[in-house]
Amino acid sequence: MAAAAGPGEPVEPGPAGSLRRCLARLGALQARSDSGRRTELHLLFDQLISESCGPEAAAVPGPQDVCAVLVQGCQLVPLDQEHLVSKVCQLIHHLLNRYQVMVDEQNLNFLLSYCISALRQCSSWTHVEILQALAALVYNNGPKCQKYLPDLLGKAGLLLQFSDPGQPDVELRRAAVRSMANLCLSVPGQPYLDESYRSVCFQTFLSVLQSSKTSDVDDITFCMLLQSALKGVQSLLNGGKMKLMQTDQIGALLAVLKKCMFHGLPGLSIEVPTALYPAPLPQYDKRSPVKQEQSEPATSKQAGTRRKKCKGKQKKGEFGEEGREDSGDAGNESVLGAAMLKLHLGDVQSSPCPDPRPRVSDVCAGKDPLSSHATGWKRISSSESEYSDTEGGIQSKVRSYQANVRQGALACFLSTIKSIEKRVLYGYWSAFVPDAPGIGSPQSVSLMTIALKDPSPKTRACALQVLSAFLEGSKQFLSVAEDANDHKRAFTPFSVTIASSIRELHRCLLLALVAESSSQTLTQIVKCLANLVSNAPYSRLKPGLLTRVWNQIKPYISHKDVNVRVSSLTLLGAVVSVQAPLPEVQLLLQQPSSSGLNSSGSTTPRRFSSCEQWRKALPWAGEGPLDNPAGCGPAEPCWLLRLCVSIIVLPREDSCSDSDPTFPSLSSVYEPCPLRLEALQVLALLVKGYFPMAQSYFLELGEVACRCMEEMDPSIQLHGAKLLEELGMGVLQQHKPDSPTAPEQRVPVSVVVTFWTMMLNGPLPGTLQNSPHATLQTSACDALSSILPEAFSLLQGDQQILCVTLLLGLNHSENPLVKAAAARALGVYILFPCLRQDVMFVADTANAILNSLHDKSPNVRAKAAWSLGNLTDTLIINMETMGQSFQEELSDLLLLKLLRSATEASKDRDKVKSNAVRALGNVLHFLQPCHVANPRFREAIEESLQALIATVGSEATMKVRWNACYALGNVFKNPALPLGEAPWARQAFSALSSVVKSCKNFKVRIKSAVALSIPSKRECYGSTEQFCQIWSALVVALQRSEDTEDFLEFKYSSSLRTQICRALLHLLQLARSTDLPLIGGSLREHGEAIKPLVLQYLRSSGEENETGAHTDLEERERGVQGAIEHLSGIERELQGKAKVRVSLYLEDVLTNHTNATELTEA
């Protein structure tokens, strides 16, 4: 026997001490003969295996001790002693899994070499244990196993041999597939498997999943085989960032996933083809008749409903992607692995006692075609933690393993969705998303089949999470849906097919909602509904869908589980934000507050029973709703508005309390924080989309925002600031000149002044000055910029100064988010009429913006450039309204700084450049003769002009080039600039002439044509040669005004034709006698080609000029007549020397137009 611990040595308790004693015994055995140590090794290995399978001890042995025991054990066991080889491999498997040990590279090399040699030399009966040891060794060690990959995954690799479909021993095949799956796990920061090995593994896993169970294989073993293959595929997709590109590869994988998703689902048996193909029509799936024997075990169970008690947390080491083993030892429902372990259930844990299941009578009116299969099996509980040896116990164990397969398939499907482009994925829409069944035909199986029929709440939740991922980002795909008009055709259009699918999704999800009793699954149903609502095109569908969702979700606002309540509010937020404002949602918001609250068997919570309770908590309660003459608000407040405000400001109620003790002490006063945050977000969305509903309680909502910003929780403060911003933006939209809201229905300016006085006397200034949270300061800054200009001018002087001082101070913040928001807010304030005429404010703002324009953050520079554009717009407005006085007061030095900074910014990235060139055009327009003559300005002017010209012809984005053309047009308006003789003028006209002919973007062409028509004198166009080059470019541009490769540009062709014709007529009205020969030659060559286009211009109506003003027919005719008169006078002076009389050409065009008009009127 091995030497025991000496009498003087301390004996360390627990596994750690036991392992060290065994290590000492193994060392002592090295000196003994083979015959003597074999029995000792058997006893020692049996002892270690027994201890590793026993109850978990407090003290865990160190990785070094575990590795030392395993290495010494392997060194003492020659490969010809197969019983000992089997035991030492069992020991590797048990110790590494029990103590979660990561083997270091040196020991890993020895142990892997030992296992590979054992697989080659030992009898086949040992191979399962050896492969289990191999699986434990390579788990999360893939990058360290590179040199062994040829032996394991090469052409004649051991794992390929043992996982071959022809392998008769299924246990052996399962162990090989699990080893392969563990090899495919990724390690962050380490290289992944080569492409060739990835492909081999993928094909192996696919062949396993495509195989069918034979009669000699028991159900549990086959389930574990499928689980291993599914984990392997998931690891390849997640860790290897594998992108599925080939159609056959995608189709084959989706086919096996669909098969495994329904594996062992009671009452259902389907045959899925070997590959799915992308198609807009429903996929073919053949359902086999369900044998009576399959449902008998289910119906023999107790007749209870779905399990009412939520399960506790999963024990550490059970099935999951982090574990090395399949859950073959217990019947606990497995989780999906790392990707699905957390079901995204929010920030708070669910209550252990959800509400009893509501009645289904309201939703089941449209009978569910799937409900005819079986109802008995839905009553089965799959959560037994122990199994007896009776037939019922075995059946329960089988059902649990089958549920594990379904969950694994869904987890793998979730990873697959992330690995496929959305446009490719939606080709398989009909294979996984339900469609309304045809007359006399059964409904195809889909993800909703699992969500409605699976006995495991965890599997149902997983199916809903996959469906939610499927719906995420589907807005463009679903946008084609339309069933607003009844179609009477011989075929069903694709738009109607998708609309039918959307309707069926609504029906099935609402059915699942009222039938579900598990709080976790209920949360997933509501989140899935929210995703559907966010992406469906309700404006193209028959109304009624959102009404059913609205009425069904109301009772769940008072659910005992906080996560259900939070997700219910998320769904309501999706309803009020989708394509707002929708007429259907407007009607829902106007419903009485009690409508629908009792529709699903839940009681109306006390907080909603009193219409005025929430208002009594606010100081404005005595003032009542705003007195709007048009009655733009309902008699009682909108139900959703009142609900959100009550959740935010009223104390927490016992009837809706959550039992989670982890909430901070504040939760004893108010509702849980996640619920209040969601209510604030819904309130902000409601204000944004349906402001007329909210404006009756404008001041009360302002008080809610104030209260939130006064709280200690930064997240509550942040959402309070966002609500404040939405309230400000709602008023701004109402008071815009083009607002459809009648003046008498708008929030009165006096009320807006009261609102902002309350804000500025409240927590807003303190938040802006002292907040340690940059995001909160940013949001508060955005809120301050949403003030109505008319209201700002009526604020008290000290409050106006406070706003300006705060923004100027924040512009020097070290945080780029805050600095960017402050720069943008200054760009808003500079347009306020009461501020823009203040030269000191303009100067202070200009200096602050110029400071931000040189910031290292691109976002700060982009916001500063936008504000610089606004500031220079103000310079032009002041120049036109205040005249010389403002120009003289503005510092020349500041003007020079503006010019240089804008020139420098025009070389920045496109987001900065687009507004920098706009600012350059304005400053160059603003310059006076004294500036142009000043030597200090000369170089800066030249550089800025060259920057503009270069930008017009550059490869920048179209918005940048559009603004550059607009800026050059502004430059041409300044009479102080020597446009005719300056060298830069020739370059500017050349750049604009090139763009107007050939730019792909028609809006850029339009702006270049507008710019070419701005100079008001013939001298500005320079020489005859240059004038005629501009003319020729415009003629060519007119001929190409309908030539485009992008169909989206075609809608601008009419506007382009209009601007070019105006530019041509403008040139003709300025032409000299020396210009006529070349103009005449151009018309001789192209006159007939452009005549129809000029006639189209004359006939068109409602066109806008460059200022956005509409021009009528008489104005266009006057333009042609004016050109004729000007040209006739010149031609008379030439006394017939002109070869082509241009005036006659125009008279002919005008005559044709007049005759056509008379014929049309007749």
Side-chain angles (χ1 to χ4, degrees):
M1 297 293 288
E9 296 177 20
V11 178
E12 189 177 348
S18 175
L19 211 64
R20 289 202 179 95
R21 289 194 296 274
C22 290
L23 191 58
R25 290 167 65 185
L26 285 170
L29 285 173
Q30 288 180 336
R32 301 183 63 172
S33 62
D34 284 353
S35 57
R37 71 184 178 199
R38 186 179 302 175
T39 304
E40 182 71 18
L41 283 172
H42 274 292
L43 292 171
L44 191 54
F45 289 161
D46 286 343
Q47 178 190 338
L48 285 170
I49 291 170
S50 173
E51 287 177 359
S52 68
C53 293
E56 189 170 345
V60 176
Q64 300 87 351
D65 293 339
V66 174
C67 291
V69 167
L70 296 179
V71 169
Q72 280 213 16
C74 290
Q75 287 172 344
L76 291 171
V77 177
L79 296 177
D80 57 352
Q81 296 179 11
E82 293 185 346
H83 281 88
L84 280 174
V85 170
S86 173
K87 281 192 177 178
V88 79
C89 287
Q90 287 181 49
L91 186 62
I92 294 172
H93 169 67
H94 284 292
L95 286 181
L96 293 184
N97 280 308
R98 175 63 182 271
Y99 302 121
Q100 298 292 299
V101 172
M102 297 297 297
V103 185
D104 61 273
E105 192 163 358
Q106 182 180 349
N107 290 325
L108 181 68
N109 286 335
F110 173 78
L111 294 171
L112 275 179
S113 299
Y114 183 86
C115 290
I116 291 170
S117 300
L119 284 171
R120 287 190 170 131
Q121 296 179 35
C122 296
S123 303
S124 58
W125 70 268
T126 64
H127 287 172
V128 171
E129 284 81 9
I130 299 170
L131 285 171
Q132 286 177 342
L134 185 70
L137 286 166
V138 301
Y139 180 84
N140 268 344
N141 269 325
K144 300 175 187 174
C145 304
Q146 295 294 323
K147 64 181 179 181
Y148 299 101
L149 292 180
D151 293 327
L152 297 172
L153 300 175
K155 288 187 177 179
L158 293 167
L159 294 182
L160 292 186
Q161 293 175 31
F162 296 133
S163 62
D164 188 84
Q167 172 61 245
D169 187 345
V170 179
E171 276 288 353
L172 184 61
R173 189 180 180 199
R174 182 184 75 83
V177 171
R178 195 174 74 204
S179 297
M180 196 179 290
N182 284 0
L183 264 175
C184 292
L185 285 170
S186 66
V187 179
Q190 297 292 323
Y192 197 62
L193 287 175
D194 290 341
E195 179 60 38
S196 58
Y197 294 130
R198 272 185 275 178
S199 179
V200 165
C201 292
F202 182 78
Q203 289 304 321
T204 302
F205 298 142
L206 207 58
S207 66
V208 169
L209 295 171
Q210 288 170 337
S211 62
S212 301
K213 188 180 87 67
T214 54
S215 57
D216 59 331
V217 180
D218 68 277
D219 288 324
I220 290 178
T221 303
F222 187 66
C223 285
M224 294 172 76
L225 174 64
L226 293 178
Q227 277 181 256
S228 296
L230 288 166
K231 286 170 69 178
V233 174
Q234 189 178 3
S235 295
L236 284 172
L237 294 172
N238 290 348
K241 300 291 187 289
M242 185 176 176
K243 287 294 178 186
L244 298 168
M245 305 297 290
Q246 300 171 3
T247 304
D248 56 344
Q249 192 182 47
I250 296 171
L253 177 58
L254 291 179
V256 295
L257 290 179
K258 184 169 184 179
K259 185 179 80 167
C260 293
M261 277 161 42
F262 297 100
H263 181 75
L265 186 62
L268 191 68
S269 177
I270 65 167
E271 292 179 14
V272 180
T274 54
L276 298 178
Y277 298 98
L281 300 176
Q283 300 272 353
Y284 168 75
D285 56 48
K286 182 181 177 185
R287 267 191 273 187
S288 304
V290 180
K291 295 180 181 178
Q292 186 66 26
E293 291 79 12
Q294 289 180 302
S295 58
E296 279 178 2
T299 53
S300 66
K301 284 291 180 182
Q302 75 269 16
T305 60
R306 284 181 182 166
R307 191 163 54 89
K308 295 292 190 295
K309 191 167 72 173
C310 296
K311 288 187 297 188
K313 294 182 180 178
Q314 181 198 11
K315 291 181 181 178
K316 187 176 180 182
E318 288 183 7
F319 170 75
E321 197 173 11
E322 292 99 348
R324 303 166 191 256
E325 299 198 57
D326 300 325
S327 61
D329 56 344
N332 293 336
E333 289 173 357
S334 68
V335 294
L336 290 178
M340 299 276 276
L341 182 60
K342 296 178 181 177
L343 290 173
H344 307 291
L345 294 176
D347 298 324
V348 286
Q349 297 177 356
S350 58
S351 162
C353 300
D355 281 346
R357 183 172 63 182
R359 293 165 54 199
V360 241
S361 54
D362 292 315
V363 186
C364 287
K367 293 180 182 177
D368 179 21
L370 295 175
S371 62
S372 60
H373 280 294
T375 55
W377 57 261
K378 288 176 71 177
R379 305 170 186 274
I380 300 166
S381 169
S382 59
S383 63
E384 292 89 355
S385 58
E386 295 179 1
Y387 297 107
S388 66
D389 291 332
T390 63
E391 184 181 350
I394 295 171
Q395 286 293 334
S396 295
K397 189 173 183 180
V398 169
R399 282 197 301 273
S400 179
Y401 275 85
Q402 288 171 339
N404 289 346
V405 172
R406 296 196 295 274
Q407 291 168 25
L410 290 165
C412 199
F413 193 7
L414 195 64
S415 299
T416 305
I417 288 173
K418 296 172 184 176
S419 304
I420 303 177
E421 289 185 43
K422 287 289 187 181
R423 61 182 181 83
V424 176
L425 178 67
Y426 292 135
Y428 301 91
W429 174 272
S430 54
F432 298 99
V433 180
D435 188 15
I439 298 173
S441 63
Q443 183 167 12
S444 60
V445 293
S446 66
L447 287 164
M448 279 311 307
T449 310
I450 304 171
L452 286 165
K453 300 294 181 185
D454 201 293
S456 161
K458 198 169 292 181
T459 311
R460 297 195 298 271
C462 295
L464 289 158
Q465 192 178 12
V466 172
L467 180 58
S468 197
F470 215 98
L471 289 169
E472 194 172 341
S474 62
K475 185 173 289 185
Q476 187 175 358
F477 172 72
L478 297 181
S479 65
V480 302
E482 184 171 20
D483 71 349
N485 301 315
D486 292 328
H487 71 94
K488 296 178 181 179
R489 305 177 193 174
F491 66 94
T492 303
F494 181 64
S495 59
V496 176
T497 302
I498 296 298
S500 170
S501 184
I502 292 172
R503 288 191 167 278
E504 186 64 10
L505 266 176
H506 280 79
R507 192 188 71 81
C508 291
L509 284 169
L510 290 176
L511 185 64
L513 182 71
V514 294
E516 188 56 65
S517 60
S518 163
S519 294
Q520 292 186 352
T521 312
L522 201 56
T523 303
Q524 287 303 316
I525 294 170
V526 181
K527 287 185 175 182
C528 197
L529 266 169
N531 238 336
L532 174 61
V533 168
S534 298
N535 290 285
Y538 292 100
S539 58
R540 296 167 60 90
L541 303 174
K542 290 177 182 175
L545 289 176
L546 287 174
T547 302
R548 287 194 281 277
V549 171
W550 182 273
N551 290 332
Q552 285 302 129
I553 202 60
K554 273 187 174 183
Y556 295 93
I557 300 297
S558 57
H559 199 276
K560 289 183 179 179
D561 187 272
V562 174
N563 293 304
V564 175
R565 297 167 69 194
V566 170
S567 56
S568 301
L569 281 174
T570 304
L571 175 55
L572 288 172
V575 171
V576 297
S577 62
V578 63
Q579 299 161 353
L582 282 175
E584 183 180 357
V585 177
Q586 285 179 322
L587 290 174
L588 290 172
L589 291 169
Q590 291 168 354
Q591 281 182 354
S593 60
S594 59
S595 174
L597 275 177
N598 293 317
S599 62
S600 291
S602 287
T603 57
T604 305
R606 180 170 58 84
R607 69 166 56 255
F608 309 137
S609 59
S610 170
C611 180
E612 292 300 311
Q613 184 183 1
W614 66 276
R615 297 190 63 234
K616 290 175 183 176
L618 302 175
W620 299 96
E623 299 189 10
L626 302 184
D627 185 17
N628 289 330
C632 52
E636 66 171 287
C638 158
W639 170 81
L640 184 58
L641 184 147
R642 190 157 54 86
L643 165 70
C644 292
V645 172
S646 62
I647 288 173
I648 296 162
V649 303
L650 290 185
R652 188 176 185 177
E653 296 186 5
D654 294 336
S655 61
C656 298
S657 65
D658 188 272
S659 59
D660 187 1
T662 61
F663 284 121
S665 58
L666 187 64
S667 66
S668 60
V669 180
Y670 290 115
E671 292 288 358
C673 185
L675 191 66
R676 299 179 72 211
L677 287 175
E678 200 62 44
L680 274 167
Q681 290 186 63
V682 174
L683 201 54
L685 290 170
L686 178 63
V687 170
K688 182 178 182 179
Y690 299 88
F691 186 74
M693 295 282 176
Q695 74 178 71
S696 296
Y697 292 85
F698 184 65
L699 293 177
E700 284 86 343
L701 292 175
E703 176 63 23
V704 170
C706 267
R707 283 198 172 195
C708 292
M709 292 173 68
E710 287 170 348
E711 291 196 18
M712 299 300 293
D713 188 332
S715 55
I716 298 287
Q717 290 177 307
L718 175 65
H719 285 83
K722 289 187 180 296
L723 173 60
L724 174 57
E725 183 186 359
E726 291 299 345
L727 288 166
M729 292 303 296
V731 173
L732 280 174
Q733 295 295 327
Q734 265 197 351
H735 285 262
K736 278 187 173 179
D738 56 350
S739 170
T741 309
E744 65 274 8
Q745 291 183 327
R746 299 173 184 174
V747 178
V749 175
S750 59
V751 174
V752 182
V753 172
T754 304
F755 175 88
W756 283 105
T757 301
M758 173 174 67
M759 294 301 140
L760 293 170
N761 290 333
L764 184 59
T767 302
L768 286 164
Q769 286 174 303
N770 304 319
S771 174
H773 303 282
T775 311
L776 176 57
Q777 269 188 311
T778 302
S779 196
C781 213
D782 291 337
L784 193 60
S785 69
S786 66
I787 188 168
L788 186 70
E790 293 91 328
F792 184 87
S793 63
L794 295 174
L795 289 174
Q796 294 179 6
D798 58 340
Q799 291 179 327
Q800 292 184 3
I801 293 170
L802 174 64
C803 292
V804 171
T805 306
L806 285 170
L807 292 179
L808 288 171
L810 288 171
N811 196 73
H812 296 284
S813 171
E814 293 181 0
N815 187 284
L817 287 174
V818 178
K819 192 168 185 176
R824 180 194 166 275
L826 286 172
V828 172
Y829 275 45
I830 197 66
L831 296 174
F832 287 4
C834 64
L835 291 177
R836 70 178 179 221
Q837 296 179 358
D838 183 342
V839 177
M840 292 303 296
F841 173 73
V842 172
D844 289 342
T845 303
N847 284 313
I849 290 171
L850 292 178
N851 171 268
S852 295
L853 200 59
H854 295 97
D855 195 86
K856 62 182 180 181
S857 166
N859 186 42
V860 173
R861 296 200 303 275
K863 300 292 186 187
W866 179 81
S867 295
L868 182 63
N870 285 6
L871 181 126
T872 54
D873 285 344
T874 296
L875 297 183
I876 302 301
I877 295 169
N878 287 344
M879 180 179 73
E880 293 170 352
T881 56
M882 298 173 66
Q884 194 83 16
S885 61
F886 180 83
Q887 291 169 306
E888 290 174 353
E889 286 185 49
L890 197 67
S891 161
D892 288 357
L893 183 60
L894 178 59
L895 207 55
L896 186 59
K897 282 172 65 178
L898 288 173
L899 195 59
R900 285 176 173 162
S901 295
T903 304
E904 190 65 30
S906 70
K907 301 167 188 174
D908 205 329
R909 58 184 63 196
D910 283 355
K911 284 189 176 180
V912 180
K913 188 184 295 186
S914 61
N915 284 299
V917 293
R918 174 166 73 103
L920 273 180
N922 284 332
V923 174
L924 289 167
H925 181 192
F926 183 82
L927 293 177
Q928 301 305 301
C930 61
H931 300 130
V932 176
N934 190 328
R936 287 196 303 169
F937 275 83
R938 197 168 300 148
E939 184 182 350
I941 292 172
E942 182 66 29
E943 285 181 8
S944 59
L945 287 165
Q946 291 301 327
L948 277 182
I949 294 164
T951 306
V952 168
S954 69
E955 294 300 319
T957 58
M958 296 308 164
K959 183 179 179 181
V960 173
R961 299 178 71 186
W962 185 93
N963 274 347
C965 292
Y966 176 83
L968 275 181
N970 264 341
V971 173
F972 293 165
K973 292 177 182 176
N974 190 346
L977 292 171
L979 192 55
E981 66 267 9
W984 60 263
R986 192 179 310 111
Q987 296 171 333
F989 285 128
S990 175
L992 291 170
S993 299
S994 174
V995 166
V996 81
K997 290 187 295 184
S998 58
C999 185
K1000 292 179 181 179
N1001 186 279
F1002 275 21
K1003 291 178 81 173
V1004 176
R1005 287 201 217 179
I1006 290 168
K1007 275 302 163 188
S1008 60
V1010 170
L1012 288 170
S1013 65
I1014 284 177
S1016 56
K1017 297 179 181 178
R1018 171 61 187 83
E1019 301 81 46
C1020 296
Y1021 287 99
S1023 65
T1024 297
E1025 180 187 2
Q1026 184 168 291
F1027 183 86
C1028 292
Q1029 283 175 352
I1030 296 169
W1031 167 270
S1032 299
L1034 288 167
V1035 168
V1036 172
L1038 184 59
Q1039 290 175 283
R1040 297 177 182 174
S1041 60
E1042 293 183 351
D1043 298 345
T1044 177
E1045 297 174 2
D1046 187 352
F1047 180 75
L1048 294 174
E1049 293 296 323
F1050 191 76
K1051 63 183 177 182
Y1052 299 113
S1053 62
S1054 177
S1055 296
L1056 175 60
R1057 185 170 57 246
T1058 297
Q1059 295 301 342
I1060 293 174
C1061 287
R1062 284 189 184 135
L1064 287 169
L1065 289 171
H1066 178 73
L1067 291 178
L1068 289 176
Q1069 289 173 354
L1070 298 177
R1072 297 171 177 163
S1073 57
T1074 53
D1075 303 324
L1076 291 188
L1078 288 171
I1079 293 175
S1082 172
L1083 287 175
R1084 190 167 54 246
E1085 186 177 350
H1086 303 289
E1088 289 304 313
I1090 66 172
K1091 185 182 288 187
L1093 298 169
V1094 179
L1095 286 170
Q1096 281 185 50
Y1097 158 68
L1098 289 172
R1099 283 197 296 270
S1100 60
S1101 59
E1103 295 288 350
E1104 292 184 354
N1105 61 18
E1106 65 274 13
T1107 61
H1110 286 271
T1111 55
D1112 57 12
L1113 178 63
E1114 290 182 4
E1115 185 179 338
R1116 291 193 293 277
E1117 290 175 351
R1118 281 198 302 272
V1120 177
Q1121 194 63 50
I1124 292 172
E1125 292 172 2
H1126 173 74
L1127 292 169
S1128 298
I1130 295 175
E1131 287 166 353
R1132 281 196 299 272
E1133 292 176 7
L1134 292 174
Q1135 298 177 349
K1137 293 179 183 178
K1139 293 181 180 178
V1140 175
R1141 292 190 63 187
V1142 181
S1143 61
L1144 291 179
Y1145 174 84
L1146 289 179
E1147 286 174 359
D1148 182 43
V1149 169
L1150 196 56
T1151 302
N1152 285 348
H1153 167 67
T1154 305
N1155 293 339
T1157 304
E1158 289 173 354
L1159 283 171
T1160 304
E1161 291 174 354

